[in-house]
Amino acid sequence: MKFSVSSHPPTGRRRRRAPTATLLAGTVLLSSGCAVAGSAAGDAGRADGRTLRVVLTQEPPTLEPCEASLTGTGVVVRSNITEPLVERDPDSGELHPLLATGWERTGDRTWTFDTREGVTFQNGEPFTARDAAFSIDRAVNSDLACNVEGYVFGDEDLEVKAESDTRLTVTTEQPDPILPLRLSFVEIVPRTTDAEAKVRVPVGTGPYAVSSWQPGAAIDLSRHDGYWGEAPDFPRARYVWRSDASVRAAMIDKDEAEIAVALDPVEAEKDTTVAYPNNETTALRLDGREAPLDDIRVRRAVDLAVDRDGIIDALLGGLAEPAGQLVPPGVVGHDEEIEPTPQNVVEAKALIEEAEADGVPVGRQITLVARNGMFSGVSETAEALQYQMRRIGLNVKVRMADTATQLQYQLRPLPENVGPIALLIMHGNQAGDAAFTTSQYLLSDGPQSTFGTGELDRRIADAGALSGEQRQQAFAGLLADQNRSVVQYAHLAHMSGLLGLSPSIRYEPNSATGDEMRLAEVSPAKAGQH
């Protein structure tokens, strides 16, 4: 298995440029943060080739590149400040060369990568394969506890070696057919970067460098004049943050920003908003460790009780699609044959009555836990689910929680002695492969799974060793079997994103926009374009 391209920088624009046709209309669901007083305008001015202004929901928690798989960090850092060896096309799922020009599987557990020549970091240092090897080792094998280590590599170490300035080898503990995909999450930094502590201001090879970070106010980027690819249109960019979605929307209307993320569905009819499918899926995770949710009939009844269409139309502004699985279209393993479960209250009640007749304590109180700010309308959605579950004979209370509390319920070690829990989750598969979903959410001891089966665990391991169409079919079968034999999840919706865009620019969002907003893909609108 080999992939390679010319090692010379492309003559055209490396990134896909947004078409100027009218874009579709929906909601980027990022977590909310603290509001900051004042205007975003600063010294920015209009989008006429000077500063591109972006308003986020919250200040990024860090700009450390090895934490770029965190949404709040990646939306600023990835493909703007730093770049990986390999990038994934969010529309097709195909892998493309970036700082690597080619790669080949050269052994059962070993991959060889050729790196691009003529690339410099923003500090003037030349990029070589030695920097790539250092960056992988720093992110995956160190004691920094980088998010990318656990999320992407499952805490397995890699053996990394720079064979020369333009070639490196990466050896995994077990055969890994998707290692190039995993490495698309490792941002490359100079080998002079601190290997024992996380950095505040990163240095990378991307089209922009950090020029200033004013805590609580703004992050400013400047165009990297030594960038190896084509220069982006805007020489500067500024990020500010506002927690209120209506404030973010107003900033577009008042010409205080060119891009505003995570707008409410009520804004969807405006000419300055663009809706698009993102990679988030909402679901109820039913904790099978506790009665009555330890009975599959009760879990199946909950799945049948959910009115997906009603929730989407009434509470999500129609900007989502009913879901029958945890991964959306475009992700390897998505099963086109799986249909969302249609609501059937009569059948759900019958299952509850059957379980009760067999001694299952269906009257025991179930706590439905949801996180404040998870998405627009989350509290109303939780209340609707409570009503629908009560309607079939279950005793349900809602607990709205902050992020820290919700994470205690979501991640192992799970809390004990809290009774049966139905947890409202929102899962984003950034990587585009169901292996990342099944290892987290379906394995018996997965970090975000409450239970499972030995047979499902075995099939997950077997599927992870496959590639191509065999991999697709294996993971699709796993997702279908979850619905038949486990029912840990009652799926709700594949969510959408709603972006505010000034008429002065052109940008086409995609399923990765919430995690990786590439500023090089933003261009000023041409005369006559609206």
Side-chain angles (χ1 to χ4, degrees), residues 63-405:
L63 295 183
E64 162 59 56
C66 80
E67 302 283 33
S69 55
L70 296 171
T71 292
T73 298
V75 72
V76 175
V77 172
R78 295 182 68 186
S79 296
N80 295 320
I81 302 168
T82 59
E83 299 174 304
L85 292 172
V86 179
E87 67 176 351
R88 174 182 177 271
D89 186 298
D91 296 322
S92 69
E94 295 178 352
L95 297 180
H96 298 296
L98 202 56
L99 293 181
T101 58
W103 51 90
E104 181 181 9
R105 195 169 186 173
T106 51
D108 187 41
R109 297 182 294 113
T110 300
W111 290 77
T112 298
F113 295 81
D114 294 317
T115 58
R116 192 175 297 279
E117 297 182 78
V119 176
T120 59
F121 288 101
Q122 293 139 6
N123 62 3
E125 297 175 8
F127 158 74
T128 72
R130 303 181 198 283
D131 299 289
F134 167 83
S135 300
I136 296 169
D137 189 62
R138 179 180 183 270
V140 180
N141 298 336
S142 73
D143 294 327
L144 292 180
C146 298
N147 183 263
V148 69
E149 179 184 2
Y151 174 72
V152 178
F153 293 93
D155 298 321
E156 292 190 5
D157 286 347
L158 301 176
E159 182 182 331
V160 191
K161 182 180 180 182
E163 305 291 345
S164 69
D165 281 350
T166 59
R167 175 165 291 187
L168 74 150
T169 57
V170 182
T171 302
T172 58
E173 293 181 4
Q174 301 294 329
D176 187 354
I178 62 167
L179 179 68
L181 172 62
R182 296 186 200 275
L183 290 181
S184 71
F185 282 87
V186 177
E187 303 294 304
I188 304 303
V189 297
R191 59 185 182 275
T192 53
T193 304
D194 194 333
E196 298 182 358
K198 295 178 181 178
V199 301
R200 173 174 171 77
V201 177
V203 172
T205 61
Y208 288 94
V210 179
S211 55
S212 71
W213 184 355
Q214 305 163 48
I219 296 172
D220 290 295
L221 307 184
S222 297
R223 191 161 56 197
H224 175 205
D225 291 336
Y227 182 54
W228 63 272
E230 185 175 345
D233 288 325
F234 290 87
R236 292 182 297 277
R238 164 169 282 205
Y239 295 92
V240 297
W241 35 91
R242 303 291 184 269
S243 61
D244 191 312
S246 63
V247 172
R248 295 194 296 275
M251 290 174 69
I252 297 292
D253 298 334
K254 295 177 181 179
D255 193 25
E256 295 179 347
E258 280 72 56
I259 300 177
V261 307
L263 301 189
D264 284 340
V266 294
E267 308 282 348
E269 299 303 317
K270 296 170 64 173
D271 293 338
T272 53
T273 60
V274 178
Y276 58 95
N278 63 21
N279 60 30
E280 302 281 1
T281 300
T282 52
L284 268 181
R285 190 188 71 185
L286 306 173
D287 189 342
R289 300 176 303 161
E290 294 270 4
L293 295 177
D294 61 349
D295 191 291
I296 193 171
R297 292 168 295 185
V298 175
R299 300 195 300 273
R300 199 177 303 282
V302 173
D303 189 39
L304 287 164
V306 176
D307 181 6
R308 293 160 179 81
D309 291 323
I311 289 173
I312 290 169
D313 291 343
L315 303 177
L316 303 181
L319 302 177
E321 293 293 331
Q325 55 197 300
L326 276 179
V327 299
V331 173
V332 172
H334 174 84
D335 190 346
E336 295 288 349
E337 302 299 317
I338 296 177
E339 297 288 340
T341 303
Q343 186 185 35
N344 190 326
V345 175
V346 173
E347 184 178 349
K349 285 182 176 179
L351 285 169
I352 295 298
E353 291 169 359
E354 178 184 322
E356 184 176 27
D358 287 341
V360 177
V362 298
R364 189 182 183 196
Q365 187 174 78
I366 299 169
T367 303
L368 195 163
V369 179
R371 175 169 61 83
N372 290 312
M374 179 182 287
F375 55 85
S376 178
V378 62
S379 61
E380 293 84 357
T381 298
E383 290 170 0
L385 291 169
Q386 176 191 35
Y387 166 76
Q388 290 159 15
M389 292 169 68
R390 282 179 170 177
R391 189 180 177 192
I392 64 171
L394 295 175
N395 178 10
V396 182
K397 73 171 182 178
V398 170
R399 179 181 181 185
M400 298 303 300
D402 58 23
T403 300
T405 301

